[in-house]
């Protein structure tokens, strides 16, 4: 797997990451969602450099302009519900993409320390020969990303795969690096060191879904 950790190069991205982490700022749900969206835009821009391009001639009111435009047939898939702001950020840059949505959540059957990933809802176009961008803001254990990809397999084999996350752990990155093909790209804003006993990223930012949309009653 080709891993693109954008935190290795200081940029304005650091501002957005620091604000989604900060307890005082993240209480503003609208700003939290917008910062996740802006991070998605940055990740999408960097991702676009690895797409396939072809020469095009554009007609302007005053003449002709030569340029190169990407020719990828993109399907953008996000994991509900935390993935919605990240999806929107990517969609701002890949506005011609087809879209897929999938629900994946942790089910704590016996205790908070152990869980399984449950996939329930899925709406997906044909993936055969297309460029799949699979977005999940929090890459903790990597199990949700893998479970989602497994659920997408009946809908066709993508030509190429890009995974997009905001914050991950090294364990999660290592897990999906072993689970996905060597040609897969991972685009991630930053990588934290550890998980706590509940499987949350530390220092992380908390529950991205709750911060974006409000607390849920379900465990």
């Amino acid at each position: 797997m080709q891993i693109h950790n954008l935190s290795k190069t200081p940029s304005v991205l650091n501002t957005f990451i620091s604000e989604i982490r900060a307890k005082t700022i993240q209480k503003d749900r609208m700003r939290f969602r917008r910062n996740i969206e802006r991070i998605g835009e940055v990740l999408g821009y960097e991702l676009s450099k690895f797409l396939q391009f072809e020469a095009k001639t554009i007609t302007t009111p005053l003449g002709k302009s030569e340029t190169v435009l990407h020719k990828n047939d993109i399907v953008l898939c996000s994991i509900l519900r935390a993935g919605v702001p990240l999806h929107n950020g990517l969609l701002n840059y890949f506005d011609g993409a087809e879209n897929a949505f999938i629900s994946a959540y942790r089910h704590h059957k016996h205790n908070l320390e152990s869980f399984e990933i449950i996939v329930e809802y899925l709406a997906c176009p044909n993936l055969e020969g297309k460029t799949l961008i699979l977005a999940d803001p929090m890459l903790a254990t990597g199990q949700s990303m893998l479970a989602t990809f497994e659920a997408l397999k009946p809908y066709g084999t993508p030509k190429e795969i890009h995974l997009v996350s905001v914050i991950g752990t090294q364990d999660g990155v290592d897990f999906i690096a072993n689970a996905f093909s060597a040609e897969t790209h991972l685009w991630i804003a930053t990588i934290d060191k550890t998980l706590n006993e509940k499987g949350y990223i530390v220092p992380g930012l908390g529950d991205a879904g709750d911060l974006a949309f409000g607390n849920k009653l379900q465990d």
Side-chain angles (χ1 to χ4, degrees):
M1 175 179 287
Q2 300 183 54
I3 300 169
H4 309 270
N5 179 4
L6 272 59
S7 67
K8 290 184 176 181
T9 303
S11 72
V12 70
L13 181 63
N14 293 1
T15 300
F16 309 146
I17 295 172
S18 68
E19 290 191 358
I20 63 173
R21 288 189 192 269
K23 290 193 299 182
T24 53
I25 300 175
Q26 67 178 204
K27 290 178 182 178
D28 183 342
R29 290 177 190 163
M30 184 171 68
R31 187 166 186 82
F32 182 85
R33 292 192 300 269
R34 179 62 184 126
N35 278 325
I36 294 290
E37 185 177 346
R38 293 197 287 185
I39 292 169
E41 291 171 348
V42 174
L43 292 167
Y45 171 75
E46 294 297 329
L47 185 161
S48 72
K49 299 175 184 179
F50 283 73
L51 299 178
Q52 287 77 50
F53 288 81
E54 60 183 356
K56 293 285 186 179
T57 300
I58 307 300
T59 302
T60 80
L62 300 176
K64 304 287 186 181
S65 174
E66 304 300 324
T67 188
V68 289
L69 301 175
H70 84 80
K71 59 180 182 179
N72 296 67
D73 194 357
I74 295 174
V75 177
L76 175 57
C77 178
S78 64
I79 301 176
L80 301 174
R81 65 182 166 149
V84 172
L86 182 59
H87 186 105
N88 289 338
L90 292 163
L91 193 59
N92 287 344
Y93 279 22
F94 303 116
D95 49 280
E98 295 180 277
N99 294 267
F101 296 93
I102 187 168
S103 71
Y105 66 93
R106 295 178 177 185
H107 175 58
H108 300 272
K109 189 173 183 179
H110 300 295
N111 53 62
L112 292 175
E113 286 70 35
S114 63
F115 59 86
E116 59 179 330
I117 303 298
I118 303 296
V119 174
E120 289 185 339
Y121 174 80
L122 174 58
C124 184
N126 182 18
L127 298 175
E128 191 65 37
K130 298 179 181 178
T131 298
L132 173 63
I133 301 177
L134 180 54
D136 188 6
M138 307 300 285
L139 181 60
T141 65
Q143 294 181 44
S144 294
M145 191 78 82
L146 180 59
T148 300
F149 180 67
E150 292 294 328
L152 294 174
K153 283 185 175 180
Y155 297 88
T157 303
K159 181 180 180 181
E160 54 189 85
I161 302 168
H162 296 269
L163 309 178
V164 177
S165 287
V166 175
I167 299 176
T169 63
Q170 192 58 55
D171 286 346
V173 171
D174 293 342
F175 177 82
I176 64 168
N178 290 325
F180 285 82
S181 69
E183 294 77 24
T184 302
H185 292 261
L186 169 65
W187 301 89
I188 191 164
T190 191
I191 299 175
D192 289 350
K193 291 182 179 180
T194 61
L195 289 169
N196 64 16
E197 66 279 0
K198 296 180 181 179
Y200 282 92
I201 299 171
V202 178
L205 51 78
D207 189 302
D210 287 355
L211 289 167
F213 301 111
N215 295 339
K216 58 187 179 296
L217 291 177
Q218 299 86 353
D219 291 329

